Amino acid sequence: MEIINPHDKFFKETFSIRENAIDFVSGTFPPEILKKLDLSTLTQDNNSYIDEELREYFSDIVYTCFCKDKELRITLLFEHKSYAVACPYLQLIKYLLKIWESNSKQAQRLIPVIPVILYHGKDAWTVRRFRDYFEGIDEVFHRFIPEFEYLLTDLSCYSNEEIKDRAFRRVFLQITMLLMRNIYNETVLEDKLKGFFEIGRQYFEEKEGVKFLESAIRYLYYASDISEERVIETLKEISEEGGKLSMTIAARLIEKGKMAGRAEGEKEGEKKGRIEGKIEGIKEAIEIGLELKYGVEGLRLLERIRKIAVIEKLESIKEAVKISKNLEEIEKLL
């Protein structure tokens, strides 16, 4: 599962730590919202508002906190994206409904939800209103379309220096954001890797630091093209514990690779089959949509689409087919 979506796993491990969430909110939220929130009351909601089968493929981290000036509870929904999504509102609204359904079932008053998207993909993310996806309709019908906003943190809008020196205070969050921001740029990541980890040198012999190191090392091994040898060499220079961890994890992954066939069959076969079935179903829906909308010309994208194995990205392409004006809009997601 980690190989399919290492970005989500790293995101969850980071944002499940309350102090990281507080630091992120403090560094990215608009001042007029931030001044209303009492972050000392921030508490993680351990309920997941996505289907069990897809839990490893979509990330949702939910916190609640109170407002400063009144007894009003607010829910913060943190969502991570490593790909530009055709219409993010469709997934967000599912989350919102599930949260409000949970409020209702527990006889609670409905709690306002602030959706937060952390994005670090290759393509530009364009923020549009939900109504803008309903093309060609008269303004008189706008009132029948749900209208809400989300807060976007696009890491491409931050320089590495801003992440280190201004945006965030916690070392572990700084390193997380730096790794995620540069994960697709092998040249920069390889050149700056030592500097990124250097800022946490003094913490890597502590329990929390060791746990973070393990998470970061796994992320690098799974999500980047940097060799295990380079990661090991870099971390050895920073921390004795980091060097040991990187070698141990690399050895485990090599052994895991040798045993993968049997292990998958014994432990993950049934679940993997369901996921693969869903992936094939989405691909089939995309193929039908392309053919119906663009005819034979649309089918030229199928070879590239068939190579994609990430459900989140396939869902984005499927939604793009529905609302796209031309094939170029879909090609941008491939």
Side-chain angles (χ1 to χ4, degrees):
M1 297 302 230
E2 295 168 305
I3 297 175
I4 293 177
N5 215 328
H7 307 288
D8 274 357
K9 183 173 177 60
F10 192 41
F11 167 82
K12 288 178 182 177
E13 289 171 344
T14 299
F15 279 79
S16 292
I17 298 173
R18 177 176 177 271
E19 290 75 16
N20 287 338
I22 291 175
D23 192 24
F24 182 85
V25 170
S26 300
T28 62
F29 270 37
E32 66 273 15
I33 296 178
L34 188 59
K35 70 181 182 180
K36 294 285 187 180
L37 303 179
D38 182 359
L39 295 181
S40 69
T41 66
L42 195 74
T43 305
Q44 187 173 0
D45 179 349
N46 290 318
N47 294 313
S48 180
Y49 297 99
I50 50 179
D51 296 334
E52 179 69 31
E53 186 175 323
L54 298 181
R55 189 165 292 176
E56 290 294 331
Y57 294 86
F58 294 106
S59 50
D60 67 318
I61 301 289
V62 180
Y63 282 90
T64 62
C65 73
F66 285 93
C67 291
K68 287 180 178 177
D69 55 353
K70 58 181 65 176
E71 286 295 312
L72 177 64
R73 195 153 59 102
I74 300 290
T75 296
L76 307 180
L77 168 67
F78 292 93
E79 173 61 15
H80 154 263
K81 296 293 182 190
S82 55
Y83 299 97
V85 179
C87 182
Y89 295 98
L90 296 179
Q91 187 179 338
L92 290 175
I93 206 165
K94 291 178 184 178
Y95 286 137
L96 300 182
L97 287 173
K98 286 186 176 292
I99 290 172
W100 291 327
E101 284 171 359
S102 176
N103 294 159
S104 180
K105 286 177 183 177
Q106 297 178 50
Q108 299 174 339
R109 65 180 178 182
L110 297 183
I111 300 173
V113 180
I114 302 175
V116 182
I117 294 179
L118 170 64
Y119 175 64
H120 66 107
K122 300 176 185 178
D123 301 317
W125 184 294
T126 302
V127 177
R128 301 166 62 189
R129 294 175 302 177
F130 194 20
R131 67 169 64 169
D132 294 336
Y133 292 90
F134 296 79
E135 297 177 1
I137 67 169
D138 193 286
E139 281 189 18
V140 71
F141 299 115
H142 283 175
R143 59 182 173 146
F144 302 107
I145 299 172
E147 200 65 58
F148 64 95
E149 297 180 15
Y150 59 87
L151 298 180
L152 174 70
T153 296
D154 183 346
L155 289 183
S156 70
C157 297
Y158 293 79
S159 68
N160 291 333
E161 290 68 31
E162 285 174 324
I163 289 174
K164 285 193 297 183
D165 302 331
R166 290 191 291 280
F168 310 109
R169 295 182 180 181
R170 277 180 61 82
V171 165
F172 300 140
L173 186 62
Q174 291 172 2
I175 298 173
T176 296
M177 297 295 100
L178 288 168
L179 294 180
M180 295 184 84
R181 180 187 184 278
N182 296 280
I183 198 68
Y184 295 116
N185 192 328
E186 183 181 352
T187 302
V188 172
L189 188 60
E190 198 163 331
D191 181 57
K192 302 287 187 182
L193 193 62
K194 182 179 177 182
F196 292 167
F197 280 100
E198 187 73 51
I199 59 179
R201 177 191 288 267
Q202 61 179 314
Y203 301 101
F204 290 151
E205 305 303 322
E206 302 172 1
K207 185 177 179 180
E208 184 184 5
V210 171
K211 187 175 180 180
F212 171 77
L213 261 182
E214 182 169 357
S215 178
I217 291 167
R218 287 182 183 278
Y219 180 56
L220 286 171
Y221 284 165
Y222 279 125
S224 78
D225 293 322
I226 297 180
S227 68
E228 288 87 347
E229 291 77 12
R230 182 57 190 272
V231 175
I232 293 169
E233 177 187 323
T234 300
L235 288 175
K236 269 185 176 178
E237 296 180 36
I238 304 247
S239 159
E240 181 180 350
E241 190 61 39
K244 290 178 184 176
L245 262 179
S246 55
M247 287 189 288
T248 301
I249 294 171
R252 284 180 193 162
L253 295 181
I254 292 170
E255 185 61 27
K256 185 177 180 181
K258 292 176 182 177
M259 301 172 64
R262 185 177 65 190
E264 284 295 307
E266 292 175 353
K267 299 179 181 179
E268 299 291 342
E270 184 180 343
K271 193 170 185 178
K272 183 180 177 184
R274 292 200 306 270
I275 297 301
E276 288 178 347
K278 184 169 184 67
I279 287 173
E280 289 308 310
I282 298 172
K283 288 180 180 177
E284 187 175 332
I286 292 172
E287 181 174 349
I288 292 170
L290 284 171
E291 187 171 9
L292 287 174
K293 194 165 186 177
Y294 297 108
V296 177
E297 179 66 14
L299 299 182
R300 67 181 172 82
L301 302 181
L302 287 184
E303 184 177 350
R304 292 158 69 186
I305 290 170
R306 286 177 181 139
K307 294 178 181 178
I308 299 171
V310 181
I311 287 181
E312 183 182 17
K313 188 170 185 179
L314 287 169
E315 290 281 12
S316 298
I317 295 169
K318 186 176 77 171
E319 294 304 323
V321 171
K322 295 178 184 176
I323 63 176
S324 60
K325 297 178 182 177
N326 52 58
L327 282 174
E328 286 68 30
E329 291 184 7
I330 301 169
E331 283 189 283
K332 289 178 181 179
L333 298 175
L334 301 182

